[in-house]
Amino acid sequence: MRGFYIGRFQPYHNGHHRMVEEIVSDADEVVLGIGSAGDSHTTRNPFTAGERVMMATKAVAEFDVTAYAVPIEDLERNSVWVSHVQSMAPSFDVAYSNNPLVIRLFEEAGVEVRQSPMFNRTVLEGAEVRERMIEGGDWRSLVPDAVVDIVEEIDGISRLRQVSETDANGEA
Amino acid sequence: MRGFYIGRFQPYHNGHHRMVEEIVSDADEVVLGIGSAGDSHTTRNPFTAGERVMMATKAVAEFDVTAYAVPIEDLERNSVWVSHVQSMAPSFDVAYSNNPLVIRLFEEAGVEVRQSPMFNRTVLEGAEVRERMIEGGDWRSLVPDAVVDIVEEIDGISRLRQVSETDANGEA
Amino acid sequence: MRGFYIGRFQPYHNGHHRMVEEIVSDADEVVLGIGSAGDSHTTRNPFTAGERVMMATKAVAEFDVTAYAVPIEDLERNSVWVSHVQSMAPSFDVAYSNNPLVIRLFEEAGVEVRQSPMFNRTVLEGAEVRERMIEGGDWRSLVPDAVVDIVEEIDGISRLRQVSETDANGEA
Amino acid sequence: MRGFYIGRFQPYHNGHHRMVEEIVSDADEVVLGIGSAGDSHTTRNPFTAGERVMMATKAVAEFDVTAYAVPIEDLERNSVWVSHVQSMAPSFDVAYSNNPLVIRLFEEAGVEVRQSPMFNRTVLEGAEVRERMIEGGDWRSLVPDAVVDIVEEIDGISRLRQVSETDANGEA
Amino acid sequence: MRGFYIGRFQPYHNGHHRMVEEIVSDADEVVLGIGSAGDSHTTRNPFTAGERVMMATKAVAEFDVTAYAVPIEDLERNSVWVSHVQSMAPSFDVAYSNNPLVIRLFEEAGVEVRQSPMFNRTVLEGAEVRERMIEGGDWRSLVPDAVVDIVEEIDGISRLRQVSETDANGEA
Amino acid sequence: MRGFYIGRFQPYHNGHHRMVEEIVSDADEVVLGIGSAGDSHTTRNPFTAGERVMMATKAVAEFDVTAYAVPIEDLERNSVWVSHVQSMAPSFDVAYSNNPLVIRLFEEAGVEVRQSPMFNRTVLEGAEVRERMIEGGDWRSLVPDAVVDIVEEIDGISRLRQVSETDANGEA
């Protein structure tokens, strides 16, 4: 049984990690869909798909399970979203999400969805991590060590701070 | 003489129906352009183009006139919008709209536009219908019977409520 | 029961008409999907989606059945093609096609497909009609009268001849 | 040495002109990238790329330097933005910008960027010009004479006022 | 009066130059539309839009006339091609072309087109120049000196030879 | 040191496997870019990106190295191809390819490329595998066991045969 879990992972943090841990107890294999794959260098989406693939892959290595980290580009067309995800990812049996839109789309397509109270916190935690990165707070304790290494390797804090200045000022 | 009337029709409601009735007194044939055709499953655009084609086609059947319901995809390029609409729709002689942008684009392209005080209300009525659908109010009295049947057939109320939860919560 | 039949309809001709007649004996309503909707002004696709919507709508008016003519844009992504078609068209129960790719895609999506020996001829007839239009042969006997009127109204023969000169010469 | 300066130029105004003057003292040739090239007929982007190419070309004619005005379409993909700009524009050695996102993208690509306190004012001046155009204020004193001629030639004030009505009212 | 001339300019060669010379005797200003702007690094389209903008701009500098070199991206939608070109280029009164498709599209849009026997040769000359570049023949005598300089500056011959090897071998 | 190897992997076969084996002796980590990610259900590209991700991941599991299998969508814009690949994939130091276009693009971007005589055979082997699949020949001996399992699990032979009938007949 293969489980599917989609998120933006900007960055992959401990909230995501707890979710994966829960899915791993449920499924034999896990597919992490890296959504908004074409977005990067913004306050809300600072890291490229490739950088997020590295974060996710290194972080889930500690679980003894076959995992796939797959970038999913936005087609901006909800009616074909499920088909698109199914074509980009290894075939999966169950999707894990608390997002009402995602749940509805999977339900209309006849795909089983499992929800978890844990999911709601991932949105808030992602914004919190990015805010601490910008403000110089303690972001490292909110993400797995492997992610700390990657963020530092790609000069991620500096990038996030620079591009968030644009969001504050508008643009030329 | 063929008249053209574009809207999102989310859903097709009595305000649209009164407009079509007015156009039908003016023209021999009517083309309903279903705008934002690629959008669906959102609070503002809950229904697919196909569902809206059904609504419009069934509703205008009561008028004894040849009518076309044609989905128009967004190209997100105002400078070619008129050409795009003209290529997707049967050729028309007059466009009916109160939308200043639409009027300007048609004027610059040399297409005759007719306005009507009735148009302004269609925007408000669309939002009102969707709000009542979400809140459990009386939406059925705001739309033709044919539309009631279709919305119920496609489980439309349930879908709109579910996807509007995402709009309230943000997303994962 | 609603049947779905997709083709390019360049132009809508008697082969298509016989197919629709067969489907009408089977289904209560018919949806004609006008494929390659964004293509026009080429030898293989001379007419716009709107022109083809007119041809199909006028031609099928003789059958006493509710019919929809809906342009379907190419997303160039086979894996989401069925979902895309389902979102652009009124919901249908059966698809009619002999095209192996179309049949496979519908089968993988769990949609019932009916085949007919009549289908193979539509490809050849379409090319034959366009060739006669270019060469000055008798194309009128290969299409319904309503289509003759529309092709002449839009100066279709002149257009096809002009654009086919490009195909012969290459381009600048 | 060729300098590159990107902006929306809606319209090209005196703030832009002072910047170009500064760049011209620095570089042998100047490339003006007309960003958001596909956008037009909105309050924030009223003029087409072609209209802005005319404004920029006529305005910079007074400087005795080879200048290029090149429309740059949005690919909405920051990670390839620099490559895209480099493929659309004559090769340049230095980019001029104060926009943090633009600076970051060029820096990550190894392209030299020069900043100037003058840049910040161009954003504000653009909004000011458009507001005066809408409100009937004195916009002519904020732009070069060549731009006044072009805006009047293309009926630009009338267009901006009409399309800004849509932004106020929402749309149908 | 502004004249418009579109081509791929791969590269800008003496055939194009003779055409521009003819147009310059006709018009006050010239707009060169650089078509297939997004294409590069292929046998048929080796140079980027920016490189072709440089070639065209430098080459036409010898004529004492205001000239614009504007990249035009392919929208792959013939029905909006004229509107697209009109939005990307300074407004023009006359288009110059012998390409039947281009002529038809302008005619349907009501834009005046002028033809010239000179045009047919530009297609053949473009292919001839690229072939000589690949085979080591005398390509320099087929293009203006300014173009020779640019092609050598961008290492153009080496690029064309390398990418044409792919066209011969197919790809991985 | 991370190596990057791009191919269509339709399907992942022994030729690819030998290349990966060679790269693994060279690099610490391997990134497999699954090109033409959006293509599927054709004779030349029968399998979806997700199916190819499964094949590649399972096959390279036998090498004791961290491997990433990442779908790369076609942007159809060679000038930004390298940037696009770099944004979708974990950062890599060396690219492995014999494809002249790929080599040229990486060289122009300053990325080190290593070639291997082994590469040329992968193109021919891919076509050979698909041909045997269609004709009922021995394709299993040309691919790793893990790939055999996946192809059978997804009913791949049946699909390839069906869609290749379309390629033979043209389409409706």
Side-chain angles (χ1 to χ4, degrees):
Chain A
M1 194 282 263
R2 201 175 282 130
F4 178 77
Y5 171 37
I6 188 157
R8 286 177 9 258
F9 302 107
Q10 293 279 12
Y12 180 100
H13 57 66
N14 290 340
H16 297 129
H17 207 58
R18 286 187 298 269
M19 265 312 312
V20 174
E21 191 165 26
E22 189 170 300
I23 296 171
V24 162
S25 67
D26 224 26
D28 304 308
E29 298 195 345
V30 175
V31 181
L32 300 183
I34 318 272
S36 300
D39 292 0
S40 69
H41 295 83
T42 69
T43 303
R44 196 166 160 275
N45 287 289
F47 308 114
T48 67
E51 291 162 349
R52 293 176 274 156
V53 163
M54 271 196 289
M55 293 177 198
T57 304
K58 299 281 185 178
V60 305
E62 65 168 82
F63 302 116
D64 185 32
V65 65
T66 297
Y68 310 81
V70 180
I72 313 265
E73 299 249 16
D74 278 336
L75 292 193
E76 299 195 336
R77 197 180 277 266
N78 284 337
S79 57
V80 307
W81 186 80
V82 173
S83 298
H84 176 51
V85 157
Q86 290 176 327
S87 88
M88 287 293 137
S91 58
F92 52 91
D93 308 282
V94 178
Y96 293 80
S97 178
N98 258 31
N99 181 298
L101 171 62
V102 170
I103 293 170
R104 181 69 195 197
L105 292 176
F106 274 125
E107 285 177 350
E108 286 189 10
V111 177
E112 178 186 348
V113 187
R114 290 182 195 169
Q115 305 187 43
S116 158
M118 254 194 225
F119 269 124
N120 293 338
R121 297 200 336 243
T122 59
V123 181
L124 301 169
E125 289 186 44
E128 178 65 26
V129 175
R130 292 191 301 277
E131 192 176 328
R132 290 189 192 186
M133 284 175 159
I134 292 173
E135 302 297 333
D138 171 26
W139 60 273
R140 287 176 181 75
S141 63
L142 298 183
V143 305
D145 292 343
V147 176
V148 171
D149 293 341
I150 291 164
V151 170
E152 290 179 342
E153 175 190 319
I154 62 179
D155 197 33
I157 305 302
S158 163
R159 177 196 298 168
L160 180 49
R161 286 179 182 162
Q162 225 172 329
V163 302
S164 61
E165 289 175 51
T166 289
D167 290 343
N169 294 337
E171 30 60 56
Chain B
M1 194 280 264
R2 201 175 281 129
F4 177 77
Y5 171 38
I6 189 160
R8 287 179 5 260
F9 303 107
Q10 291 281 12
Y12 180 100
H13 58 65
N14 290 339
H16 298 128
H17 206 58
R18 286 188 298 267
M19 265 312 312
V20 174
E21 192 167 26
E22 189 170 299
I23 296 170
V24 162
S25 69
D26 223 24
D28 303 308
E29 298 196 346
V30 176
V31 181
L32 299 183
I34 318 274
S36 299
D39 292 0
S40 69
H41 294 83
T42 68
T43 303
R44 197 166 159 275
N45 286 288
F47 308 113
T48 67
E51 292 162 348
R52 292 177 275 156
V53 163
M54 270 195 290
M55 293 176 197
T57 303
K58 300 281 186 179
V60 305
E62 66 168 81
F63 302 115
D64 185 32
V65 67
T66 298
Y68 309 81
V70 180
I72 312 264
E73 300 248 18
D74 277 335
L75 291 193
E76 299 195 337
R77 197 179 279 265
N78 284 336
S79 56
V80 307
W81 186 80
V82 173
S83 297
H84 176 52
V85 156
Q86 290 175 326
S87 88
M88 287 292 138
S91 58
F92 52 91
D93 309 284
V94 178
Y96 293 81
S97 176
N98 257 32
N99 180 297
L101 171 62
V102 169
I103 293 169
R104 181 71 194 194
L105 292 176
F106 275 124
E107 284 178 349
E108 284 189 10
V111 177
E112 179 185 347
V113 187
R114 290 183 195 167
Q115 304 187 44
S116 161
M118 254 194 225
F119 269 125
N120 293 340
R121 300 203 328 248
T122 59
V123 181
L124 301 170
E125 289 186 44
E128 178 66 26
V129 175
R130 293 191 301 277
E131 192 177 328
R132 291 190 190 184
M133 285 175 160
I134 293 174
E135 303 297 333
D138 173 25
W139 60 272
R140 287 175 183 76
S141 64
L142 297 183
V143 306
D145 292 343
V147 176
V148 172
D149 294 341
I150 291 165
V151 171
E152 291 180 342
E153 176 190 319
I154 62 178
D155 197 33
I157 304 304
S158 164
R159 175 196 300 168
L160 180 48
R161 286 178 181 164
Q162 224 171 332
V163 301
S164 60
E165 289 176 50
T166 289
D167 290 347
N169 295 336
E171 30 61 54
Chain C
M1 193 283 261
R2 200 176 282 128
F4 177 78
Y5 172 37
I6 189 160
R8 286 178 8 259
F9 302 106
Q10 292 280 12
Y12 180 101
H13 58 66
N14 290 339
H16 297 130
H17 207 59
R18 286 188 297 269
M19 264 313 310
V20 175
E21 192 167 25
E22 190 170 298
I23 296 169
V24 162
S25 68
D26 225 23
D28 304 307
E29 298 195 346
V30 176
V31 181
L32 300 183
I34 318 272
S36 299
D39 292 1
S40 70
H41 294 82
T42 68
T43 303
R44 198 165 158 275
N45 286 289
F47 308 113
T48 67
E51 290 162 350
R52 293 177 273 156
V53 163
M54 270 196 290
M55 293 178 198
T57 304
K58 299 281 185 178
V60 305
E62 66 167 80
F63 302 116
D64 185 33
V65 67
T66 298
Y68 309 81
V70 180
I72 312 266
E73 299 250 15
D74 277 335
L75 292 192
E76 298 196 337
R77 197 179 279 264
N78 284 335
S79 56
V80 308
W81 185 80
V82 173
S83 297
H84 176 52
V85 157
Q86 290 176 326
S87 87
M88 287 292 137
S91 58
F92 53 91
D93 309 284
V94 178
Y96 293 81
S97 178
N98 258 32
N99 180 298
L101 171 62
V102 170
I103 293 170
R104 180 71 194 194
L105 292 176
F106 274 126
E107 284 179 350
E108 285 188 10
V111 176
E112 178 185 348
V113 187
R114 292 183 194 167
Q115 304 187 43
S116 160
M118 256 195 224
F119 270 124
N120 293 338
R121 297 200 337 243
T122 59
V123 181
L124 301 170
E125 288 186 45
E128 178 65 26
V129 175
R130 292 190 302 275
E131 192 176 327
R132 290 190 193 186
M133 284 175 161
I134 293 174
E135 303 296 334
D138 172 26
W139 60 273
R140 289 176 181 75
S141 63
L142 299 183
V143 306
D145 292 342
V147 175
V148 172
D149 294 340
I150 291 165
V151 170
E152 290 180 342
E153 176 190 319
I154 62 179
D155 196 33
I157 305 302
S158 165
R159 177 196 298 168
L160 180 49
R161 285 178 183 165
Q162 224 171 330
V163 302
S164 62
E165 288 177 49
T166 290
D167 291 345
N169 294 337
E171 30 60 55
Chain D
M1 194 281 261
R2 202 176 281 128
F4 178 76
Y5 171 37
I6 189 158
R8 285 176 9 258
F9 303 106
Q10 291 280 12
Y12 181 100
H13 58 64
N14 290 340
H16 297 130
H17 206 58
R18 286 187 300 267
M19 264 314 310
V20 173
E21 192 167 24
E22 188 170 300
I23 296 170
V24 162
S25 68
D26 223 25
D28 304 308
E29 298 195 348
V30 175
V31 181
L32 300 182
I34 319 273
S36 300
D39 292 0
S40 69
H41 295 82
T42 68
T43 303
R44 195 166 160 276
N45 286 289
F47 307 114
T48 67
E51 291 162 349
R52 292 176 273 156
V53 163
M54 269 196 290
M55 292 177 199
T57 304
K58 301 281 186 178
V60 305
E62 66 167 81
F63 302 116
D64 186 32
V65 67
T66 298
Y68 309 81
V70 181
I72 313 265
E73 299 250 17
D74 278 336
L75 293 193
E76 298 195 337
R77 197 179 278 265
N78 284 336
S79 57
V80 307
W81 186 80
V82 173
S83 297
H84 176 52
V85 156
Q86 289 175 326
S87 88
M88 287 292 137
S91 58
F92 52 91
D93 309 281
V94 178
Y96 294 80
S97 177
N98 257 31
N99 180 297
L101 171 61
V102 170
I103 293 170
R104 180 70 193 195
L105 293 176
F106 274 125
E107 284 178 349
E108 285 189 11
V111 176
E112 178 186 348
V113 187
R114 292 185 194 165
Q115 304 187 43
S116 160
M118 255 194 225
F119 269 123
N120 294 338
R121 299 205 328 250
T122 59
V123 181
L124 302 169
E125 289 186 45
E128 178 66 27
V129 175
R130 292 190 301 276
E131 193 177 326
R132 291 190 191 185
M133 285 176 160
I134 293 173
E135 303 296 334
D138 172 27
W139 60 274
R140 288 175 181 76
S141 64
L142 297 183
V143 306
D145 292 341
V147 175
V148 171
D149 294 340
I150 290 165
V151 170
E152 292 180 342
E153 177 189 319
I154 62 179
D155 197 32
I157 304 303
S158 164
R159 178 197 298 168
L160 180 49
R161 287 179 181 163
Q162 226 172 328
V163 302
S164 60
E165 290 175 50
T166 289
D167 290 346
N169 295 335
E171 30 62 54
Chain E
M1 193 282 262
R2 202 175 281 128
F4 177 77
Y5 172 37
I6 189 159
R8 287 176 8 258
F9 303 107
Q10 292 279 13
Y12 180 101
H13 59 66
N14 290 340
H16 297 129
H17 207 58
R18 285 188 298 268
M19 265 312 312
V20 173
E21 192 167 25
E22 189 169 301
I23 296 169
V24 162
S25 69
D26 224 25
D28 303 307
E29 297 196 347
V30 175
V31 180
L32 299 184
I34 318 272
S36 300
D39 292 1
S40 68
H41 294 82
T42 68
T43 304
R44 197 165 160 275
N45 286 290
F47 308 113
T48 67
E51 290 162 349
R52 292 177 274 156
V53 163
M54 270 195 291
M55 293 178 199
T57 304
K58 299 280 186 181
V60 304
E62 67 168 80
F63 302 116
D64 186 32
V65 67
T66 298
Y68 309 81
V70 180
I72 313 266
E73 299 249 18
D74 277 336
L75 292 192
E76 298 195 338
R77 197 179 278 265
N78 284 336
S79 57
V80 307
W81 185 81
V82 172
S83 297
H84 176 52
V85 156
Q86 289 175 327
S87 86
M88 287 292 137
S91 59
F92 54 90
D93 309 281
V94 178
Y96 294 81
S97 178
N98 257 31
N99 181 297
L101 171 62
V102 170
I103 293 171
R104 181 70 194 196
L105 293 176
F106 275 125
E107 284 178 350
E108 285 188 12
V111 176
E112 179 186 347
V113 187
R114 290 185 194 165
Q115 305 186 43
S116 160
M118 255 196 225
F119 269 124
N120 294 337
R121 299 204 329 247
T122 59
V123 182
L124 302 170
E125 289 186 42
E128 177 66 25
V129 175
R130 293 191 300 277
E131 193 177 326
R132 291 189 192 186
M133 285 174 160
I134 293 173
E135 304 294 336
D138 173 25
W139 61 273
R140 289 175 182 77
S141 64
L142 298 182
V143 307
D145 291 343
V147 175
V148 172
D149 293 341
I150 291 165
V151 171
E152 291 180 342
E153 176 190 319
I154 62 178
D155 197 32
I157 305 301
S158 164
R159 176 197 298 167
L160 180 49
R161 286 178 182 164
Q162 225 171 329
V163 302
S164 61
E165 289 177 49
T166 289
D167 290 344
N169 295 336
E171 28 63 55
Chain F
M1 195 280 263
R2 199 175 284 127
F4 177 77
Y5 171 38
I6 188 159
R8 286 178 8 259
F9 303 106
Q10 291 280 13
Y12 181 100
H13 58 66
N14 290 340
H16 297 129
H17 207 58
R18 286 188 299 267
M19 264 312 313
V20 174
E21 191 166 24
E22 190 170 298
I23 296 169
V24 162
S25 68
D26 223 24
D28 303 307
E29 299 194 345
V30 176
V31 181
L32 299 184
I34 318 273
S36 300
D39 291 2
S40 69
H41 295 83
T42 69
T43 303
R44 197 165 158 274
N45 286 290
F47 308 114
T48 67
E51 291 163 349
R52 292 177 273 156
V53 163
M54 270 195 291
M55 293 178 197
T57 303
K58 300 280 185 180
V60 305
E62 65 168 83
F63 301 117
D64 186 31
V65 68
T66 298
Y68 310 82
V70 180
I72 312 265
E73 299 248 17
D74 277 337
L75 292 192
E76 298 195 336
R77 197 179 278 265
N78 285 336
S79 56
V80 307
W81 186 80
V82 172
S83 297
H84 176 53
V85 156
Q86 290 176 326
S87 88
M88 288 291 138
S91 58
F92 54 90
D93 308 282
V94 178
Y96 293 80
S97 177
N98 256 34
N99 181 299
L101 171 61
V102 168
I103 293 170
R104 181 71 194 194
L105 293 176
F106 275 125
E107 284 178 349
E108 285 188 10
V111 176
E112 178 186 349
V113 187
R114 290 184 195 165
Q115 304 188 43
S116 160
M118 256 194 225
F119 269 125
N120 293 338
R121 300 207 324 252
T122 59
V123 181
L124 302 171
E125 289 186 44
E128 178 66 26
V129 176
R130 293 190 302 275
E131 194 177 325
R132 291 189 190 185
M133 285 175 160
I134 293 174
E135 303 295 335
D138 173 25
W139 61 272
R140 289 175 182 75
S141 63
L142 297 183
V143 306
D145 292 342
V147 175
V148 172
D149 294 341
I150 291 165
V151 170
E152 291 180 343
E153 175 189 319
I154 63 178
D155 197 33
I157 304 303
S158 164
R159 175 196 300 168
L160 180 48
R161 286 179 183 164
Q162 225 171 329
V163 301
S164 62
E165 289 176 49
T166 290
D167 290 346
N169 295 335
E171 29 63 55

Short mmCIF file of all heavy atoms in Angstrom, two decimals, chain D residues 75 77 79-80 82-84 87-88, chain F residues 75 77 79-80 82-84 87-88:
data_model
loop_
_atom_site.label_atom_id
_atom_site.label_comp_id
_atom_site.label_asym_id
_atom_site.label_seq_id
_atom_site.Cartn_x
_atom_site.Cartn_y
_atom_site.Cartn_z
N LEU D 75 7.13 34.56 -17.57
CA LEU D 75 7.04 33.10 -17.61
C LEU D 75 6.55 32.60 -16.26
O LEU D 75 6.29 31.42 -16.08
CB LEU D 75 8.41 32.46 -17.91
CG LEU D 75 9.02 32.66 -19.28
CD1 LEU D 75 10.19 31.71 -19.47
CD2 LEU D 75 8.00 32.42 -20.40
N ARG D 77 8.06 32.13 -13.50
CA ARG D 77 8.95 31.09 -13.00
C ARG D 77 10.27 31.78 -12.67
O ARG D 77 11.17 31.90 -13.52
CB ARG D 77 9.12 30.03 -14.09
CG ARG D 77 9.66 28.72 -13.63
CD ARG D 77 9.75 27.78 -14.84
NE ARG D 77 8.49 27.15 -15.15
CZ ARG D 77 8.12 25.94 -14.71
NH1 ARG D 77 8.94 25.25 -13.94
NH2 ARG D 77 6.96 25.44 -15.03
N SER D 79 12.86 30.93 -11.15
CA SER D 79 14.12 30.18 -11.27
C SER D 79 14.72 30.23 -12.68
O SER D 79 15.89 29.95 -12.85
CB SER D 79 13.90 28.72 -10.86
OG SER D 79 12.88 28.14 -11.64
N VAL D 80 13.91 30.58 -13.68
CA VAL D 80 14.47 30.68 -15.04
C VAL D 80 14.42 32.12 -15.55
O VAL D 80 14.76 32.39 -16.71
CB VAL D 80 13.74 29.75 -16.05
CG1 VAL D 80 13.71 28.33 -15.53
CG2 VAL D 80 12.35 30.23 -16.37
N VAL D 82 16.26 34.85 -15.11
CA VAL D 82 17.48 35.45 -15.65
C VAL D 82 17.81 34.86 -17.02
O VAL D 82 18.12 35.60 -17.97
CB VAL D 82 18.68 35.24 -14.70
CG1 VAL D 82 19.97 35.70 -15.35
CG2 VAL D 82 18.45 36.01 -13.39
N SER D 83 17.73 33.55 -17.15
CA SER D 83 17.99 32.91 -18.46
C SER D 83 17.03 33.45 -19.52
O SER D 83 17.42 33.68 -20.66
CB SER D 83 17.80 31.40 -18.37
OG SER D 83 18.71 30.82 -17.49
N HIS D 84 15.79 33.62 -19.14
CA HIS D 84 14.77 34.10 -20.07
C HIS D 84 15.09 35.52 -20.53
O HIS D 84 15.09 35.81 -21.74
CB HIS D 84 13.41 34.06 -19.37
CG HIS D 84 12.27 34.63 -20.17
ND1 HIS D 84 11.99 34.24 -21.46
CD2 HIS D 84 11.32 35.55 -19.86
CE1 HIS D 84 10.92 34.89 -21.91
NE2 HIS D 84 10.50 35.69 -20.95
N SER D 87 17.92 35.58 -22.88
CA SER D 87 17.65 35.09 -24.24
C SER D 87 16.83 36.09 -25.05
O SER D 87 16.93 36.13 -26.27
CB SER D 87 16.92 33.74 -24.19
OG SER D 87 15.52 33.92 -24.11
N MET D 88 16.05 36.91 -24.39
CA MET D 88 15.22 37.88 -25.10
C MET D 88 15.96 39.19 -25.41
O MET D 88 15.57 39.94 -26.30
CB MET D 88 13.96 38.23 -24.28
CG MET D 88 12.93 37.12 -24.25
SD MET D 88 12.18 36.88 -25.90
CE MET D 88 12.16 35.08 -25.96
N LEU F 75 9.56 22.65 -21.15
CA LEU F 75 9.14 24.04 -21.26
C LEU F 75 9.23 24.49 -22.71
O LEU F 75 8.81 25.59 -23.06
CB LEU F 75 10.02 24.97 -20.39
CG LEU F 75 9.92 24.85 -18.87
CD1 LEU F 75 10.61 26.03 -18.23
CD2 LEU F 75 8.47 24.78 -18.40
N ARG F 77 11.69 25.47 -24.44
CA ARG F 77 12.43 26.72 -24.55
C ARG F 77 13.88 26.41 -24.20
O ARG F 77 14.29 26.46 -23.03
CB ARG F 77 11.83 27.73 -23.56
CG ARG F 77 12.20 29.16 -23.81
CD ARG F 77 11.50 30.04 -22.77
NE ARG F 77 10.12 30.33 -23.13
CZ ARG F 77 9.72 31.43 -23.78
NH1 ARG F 77 10.60 32.33 -24.12
NH2 ARG F 77 8.46 31.62 -24.05
N SER F 79 16.59 27.92 -24.36
CA SER F 79 17.43 28.93 -23.70
C SER F 79 17.29 28.94 -22.19
O SER F 79 18.15 29.47 -21.49
CB SER F 79 17.12 30.32 -24.26
OG SER F 79 15.73 30.60 -24.10
N VAL F 80 16.22 28.35 -21.66
CA VAL F 80 16.08 28.31 -20.19
C VAL F 80 16.15 26.87 -19.68
O VAL F 80 15.96 26.62 -18.49
CB VAL F 80 14.77 28.97 -19.71
CG1 VAL F 80 14.64 30.38 -20.27
CG2 VAL F 80 13.54 28.16 -20.04
N VAL F 82 18.55 24.67 -19.03
CA VAL F 82 19.49 24.36 -17.95
C VAL F 82 18.97 24.93 -16.62
O VAL F 82 18.98 24.24 -15.60
CB VAL F 82 20.90 24.90 -18.25
CG1 VAL F 82 21.80 24.73 -17.04
CG2 VAL F 82 21.50 24.17 -19.45
N SER F 83 18.53 26.17 -16.62
CA SER F 83 18.00 26.78 -15.38
C SER F 83 16.82 25.96 -14.86
O SER F 83 16.67 25.76 -13.66
CB SER F 83 17.51 28.20 -15.65
OG SER F 83 18.57 29.03 -16.05
N HIS F 84 15.98 25.53 -15.78
CA HIS F 84 14.78 24.75 -15.41
C HIS F 84 15.18 23.43 -14.76
O HIS F 84 14.69 23.07 -13.68
CB HIS F 84 13.95 24.51 -16.66
CG HIS F 84 12.74 23.64 -16.46
ND1 HIS F 84 11.79 23.89 -15.49
CD2 HIS F 84 12.31 22.55 -17.11
CE1 HIS F 84 10.85 22.98 -15.56
NE2 HIS F 84 11.12 22.15 -16.53
N SER F 87 16.50 23.89 -11.36
CA SER F 87 15.51 24.24 -10.33
C SER F 87 14.67 23.02 -9.93
O SER F 87 14.19 22.94 -8.81
CB SER F 87 14.60 25.37 -10.81
OG SER F 87 13.48 24.88 -11.52
N MET F 88 14.52 22.08 -10.83
CA MET F 88 13.71 20.89 -10.54
C MET F 88 14.50 19.78 -9.85
O MET F 88 13.93 18.91 -9.19
CB MET F 88 13.11 20.32 -11.83
CG MET F 88 12.00 21.16 -12.41
SD MET F 88 10.52 21.09 -11.36
CE MET F 88 10.03 22.82 -11.39
#
